[in-house]
């Protein structure tokens, strides 16, 4: 989404050379360094860490090179850590990663819903963007087939959440610049 407020008749688009097949795209750089907190639940650590590994690799490609990793026992503990980290004002974004599965004792959908709502609360209360890679599969069985599937799925989600994080931070950087310049008020 383009958040620039410019007269479309005065805006000229500079053509970009095509990216050769197999080459890494050239992502825009930030005006100021960005620091991201990655909060990872430890339940099913070997699955969830795939999101962290993929996130850090993609984040670096997108010029997010300052990533601090925090581990918490489970997904339920993520929102409080996210809130404390957001209140430090040290982080321009927070990413949460966890796997909420049906343990047979409680309805895992309620836990996942609570975590996502709490993360949105943190974001709105602190104005620090919070991104979620907290996933709740319909079915998860502790078999090697499911572990392999979800490791791959978390790797994909790690790339996706890095892209969302970088794009959002670029958008906020532009928007805050426009607000400071009096263009948006």
């Amino acid at each position: 989404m383009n958040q620039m407020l410019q007269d479309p008749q005065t805006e000229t688009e500079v053509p970009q050379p095509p990216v050769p097949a197999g080459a890494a795209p050239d992502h825009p750089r930030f005006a100021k360094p960005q620091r991201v907190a990655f909060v990872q639940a430890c339940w099913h650590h070997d699955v969830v860490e795939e999101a962290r590994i993929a996130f850090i690799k993609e984040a670096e490609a997108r010029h997010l090179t300052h990533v601090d990793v925090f581990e918490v026992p489970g997904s339920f503990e993520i929102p409080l850590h996210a809130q404390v980290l957001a209140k430090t004002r040290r982080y321009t974004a927070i990413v949460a990663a966890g796997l909420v599965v049906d343990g047979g004792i409680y309805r895992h959908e309620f836990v996942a819903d609570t975590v996502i709502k709490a993360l949105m609360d943190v974001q709105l209360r602190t104005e620090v963007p919070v991104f979620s890679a907290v996933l709740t599969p319909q079915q998860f069985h502790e078999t090697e087939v499911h572990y392999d599937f979800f490791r791959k799925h978390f790797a994909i989600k790690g790339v996706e959440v890095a892209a969302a994080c970088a794009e959002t931070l670029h958008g906020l950087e532009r928007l805050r610049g426009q607000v400071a310049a009096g263009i948006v008020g």
Side-chain angles (χ1 to χ4, degrees):
M1 176 167 67
N2 185 357
Q3 297 179 356
M4 299 299 290
L5 297 175
Q6 296 178 351
D7 183 353
Q9 296 162 338
T10 61
E11 184 177 55
T12 58
E13 193 169 313
V14 179
Q16 297 294 319
V19 177
D26 187 26
H27 297 291
R29 295 191 176 274
F30 292 95
K32 294 180 180 176
Q34 306 291 309
R35 181 174 292 280
V36 177
F38 191 96
V39 184
Q40 174 182 334
C42 288
W43 284 18
H44 301 291
H45 190 273
D46 59 322
V47 174
V48 178
E49 76 179 342
E50 294 298 328
R52 177 184 45 80
I53 292 165
F55 173 84
I56 290 173
K57 183 177 179 184
E58 183 67 17
E60 287 175 356
R62 292 174 177 273
H63 312 292
L64 293 171
T65 56
H66 303 288
V67 178
D68 295 337
V69 176
F70 301 87
E71 290 187 340
V72 296
S75 295
F76 197 75
E77 290 78 25
I78 292 172
L80 178 58
H81 277 71
Q83 181 169 288
V84 170
L85 291 167
K87 285 182 174 182
T88 68
R89 297 316 227 184
R90 183 175 182 183
Y91 297 98
T92 53
I94 298 167
V95 178
L99 178 62
V100 181
V101 299
D102 186 353
I105 297 172
Y106 55 85
R107 296 293 304 255
H108 63 290
E109 296 94 350
F110 296 133
V111 173
D113 188 49
T114 298
V115 170
I116 297 304
K117 285 180 180 176
L119 291 175
M120 181 58 75
D121 252 6
V122 169
Q123 174 174 252
L124 294 174
R125 199 169 29 254
T126 64
E127 295 186 11
V128 174
V130 179
F131 301 89
S132 175
V134 177
L135 305 181
T136 308
Q138 286 292 332
Q139 292 190 4
F140 178 82
H141 301 289
E142 296 195 23
T143 64
E144 200 54 42
V145 171
H146 271 209
Y147 276 109
D148 287 344
F149 174 82
F150 284 104
R151 280 186 200 104
K152 291 174 186 167
H153 190 65
F154 265 86
I156 292 166
K157 292 302 171 191
V159 171
E160 291 174 353
V161 77
C165 182
E167 291 167 17
T168 299
L169 289 175
H170 277 294
L172 287 171
E173 195 174 65
R174 283 191 304 273
L175 180 60
R176 288 177 176 138
Q178 292 170 350
V179 169
I183 298 170
V184 175

